[in-house]
Structure formats: structure tokens, C-alpha cells
């Protein structure tokens, strides 16, 4: 993480199409890797994109690309 730009929770929320408040439970359940910098959580883009792929079901390829991009995800979709 030396020269890598780290993201804030609101940046992650934008990428995941959710509320910033929805990001913290993802950390607590281990679905999203994060690092604590001072009192703030910071995220690597690589980890956020991996989480997004898992949320979209891309890891098992059960959905077609059209349905993945048009579906909005909530926390209940992650269980």
C-alpha cells in the first residue's frame, strides 16, 4: 500500500451502489477488506472490485451481463 491510492467509505459506496452506512457491515462480516488509518477506514480499489464481483455473482457466472449491471444490491443480497 505504499504508493497505492486508498479510497474512502463514500467512494466505496459509490462503486458498490449503496449507502456509505452499508459499507461498514461489509467490513465487520469480512466481505470487504479495509485498513484503519487513524480513525478512518481506507480501502484498496482491488478489494472493492473483488467485493463488487462477489455481490454481482460474477464469481460463479450465474447471471448474464445485462442483469448484473442493472440490478441494485442491498445488504440482504450479500447473505
Amino acid at each position: 500500500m505504499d504508493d497505492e491510492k486508498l479510497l474512502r467509505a463514500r467512494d466505496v459506496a459509490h462503486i458498490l451502489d449503496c449507502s456509505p452506512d452499508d459499507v461498514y457491515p461489509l467490513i465487520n462480516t469480512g466481505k470487504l477488506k479495509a485498513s484503519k488509518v487513524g480513525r478512518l477506514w481506507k480501502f484498496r480499489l482491488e478489494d472493492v472490485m473483488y467485493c463488487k464481483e462477489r455481490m454481482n455473482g460474477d464469481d460463479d457466472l450465474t447471471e448474464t451481463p445485462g442483469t448484473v449491471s442493472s440490478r441494485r444490491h442491498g445488504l440482504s443480497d450479500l447473505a
Side-chain angles (χ1 to χ4, degrees):
M1 281 199 227
D2 298 330
D3 293 333
E4 188 174 26
K5 182 178 178 190
L6 299 176
L7 303 172
R8 300 170 293 181
R10 69 176 170 182
D11 301 324
V12 173
H14 180 74
I15 293 169
L16 298 180
D17 193 25
C18 66
S19 163
D21 292 334
D22 292 336
V23 172
Y24 302 106
L26 294 174
I27 300 166
N28 293 332
T29 59
K31 295 179 193 280
L32 178 61
K33 290 184 182 180
S35 298
K36 195 92 179 217
V37 178
R39 37 174 246 166
L40 302 175
W41 286 102
K42 298 292 184 167
F43 308 84
R44 294 183 325 151
L45 180 59
E46 175 182 333
D47 295 329
V48 175
M49 296 310 293
Y50 178 74
C51 180
K52 183 175 181 173
E53 287 174 10
R54 289 189 62 222
M55 287 172 61
N56 288 339
D58 291 347
D59 55 343
D60 62 1
L61 301 175
T62 57
E63 297 178 304
T64 61
T67 58
V68 170
S69 63
S70 64
R71 197 171 95 192
R72 183 177 175 94
H73 298 282
L75 289 177
S76 61
D77 294 333
L78 298 176

